[in-house]
Amino acid sequence: IELNKKNLDLAKKMALRAKEVSNNNARVYSVLGGISLYEGNLAIAEENFVKAAKIDPALVDVHFNLANIYEIQKKFDEALKEYQRVSELEPGNMESRYKSGIIYVKMGKYNEAKKKLNECLKTATVNPVIYDTLGIIYIREGNQEKALKYFKEAVRINPRFLPAYEHIGDLY
């Protein structure tokens, strides 16, 4: 609760006290990981989230946070494993699929990226970011015609979505 209020000192004191009472509480390690992540201490955040995941492997937010840390650290294979775990625990989680697609783009694995992003479109057809990202992939693959189609769809969905306009402009 205190973490959400961004009162980190109090949140940390409360979590450390809870850890003294119960050293086997996944939520305590999750909170400590969140505090460390917010403070920018990725190594300590990772350590706490890993402990939380070992105690309770079914905590979706713990795996999602680990995936984010690994993505920041450019440990893309580890990030993909954690996003896959999120998808297994919460099959309707579109964000984990989208983030996996983004990682595949960063890795230059465009077919895998398109597969993940197209999975997202099955449930999130009104998300211009997904269409824009697919357009970017097609530009990188040299298919400007298909890229333009996706950028135009992003604009159709949200006429205020500026990145798609910029990408369309780049094509001309």
Side-chain angles (χ1 to χ4, degrees):
I1 293 171
E2 293 301 323
L3 181 59
N4 292 334
K5 294 178 185 174
K6 297 191 176 154
N7 187 343
L8 296 180
D9 290 333
L10 181 56
K12 190 183 279 188
K13 285 179 186 175
M14 292 173 67
L16 290 172
R17 180 149 166 84
K19 184 178 163 188
E20 289 174 10
V21 173
S22 174
N23 196 25
N24 202 30
N25 186 322
R27 280 287 167 208
V28 170
Y29 285 106
S30 179
V31 168
L32 289 169
I35 292 167
S36 297
L37 186 57
Y38 188 80
E39 293 174 332
N41 192 336
L42 298 181
I44 299 296
E46 177 184 357
E47 181 182 309
N48 280 303
F49 287 130
V50 166
K51 285 179 185 176
K54 285 181 182 175
I55 295 167
D56 187 350
L59 292 176
V60 173
D61 60 313
V62 167
H63 294 285
F64 198 86
N65 283 319
L66 276 170
N68 283 326
I69 289 169
Y70 294 143
E71 184 176 358
I72 292 166
Q73 296 172 332
K74 298 186 182 342
K75 296 178 182 178
F76 296 136
D77 290 328
E78 290 89 344
L80 288 169
K81 287 176 191 172
E82 292 300 331
Y83 284 132
Q84 178 60 38
R85 184 72 179 129
V86 169
S87 294
E88 290 167 1
L89 292 169
E90 202 173 79
N93 189 309
M94 194 252 331
E95 191 173 1
S96 64
R97 285 177 175 75
Y98 173 74
K99 298 276 282 179
S100 293
I102 295 299
I103 289 174
Y104 282 125
V105 171
K106 290 176 181 179
M107 296 172 78
K109 296 182 176 185
Y110 300 132
N111 287 332
E112 290 90 340
K114 288 186 288 190
K115 180 181 173 192
K116 286 293 181 185
L117 294 169
N118 282 310
E119 285 176 18
C120 294
L121 290 180
K122 292 177 186 174
T123 58
T125 58
V126 294
N127 187 330
V129 176
I130 297 169
Y131 288 96
D132 189 64
T133 304
L134 282 163
I136 291 167
I137 292 169
Y138 285 111
I139 283 177
R140 290 183 181 177
E141 290 181 331
N143 190 338
Q144 292 184 342
E145 185 178 317
K146 201 157 190 178
L148 184 59
K149 173 187 156 198
Y150 280 96
F151 295 142
K152 285 182 176 180
E153 184 61 17
V155 168
R156 187 195 67 75
I157 292 167
N158 183 352
R160 295 181 178 173
F161 187 71
L162 296 180
Y165 286 107
E166 292 171 10
H167 294 129
I168 290 169
D170 290 343
L171 291 175
Y172 291 105

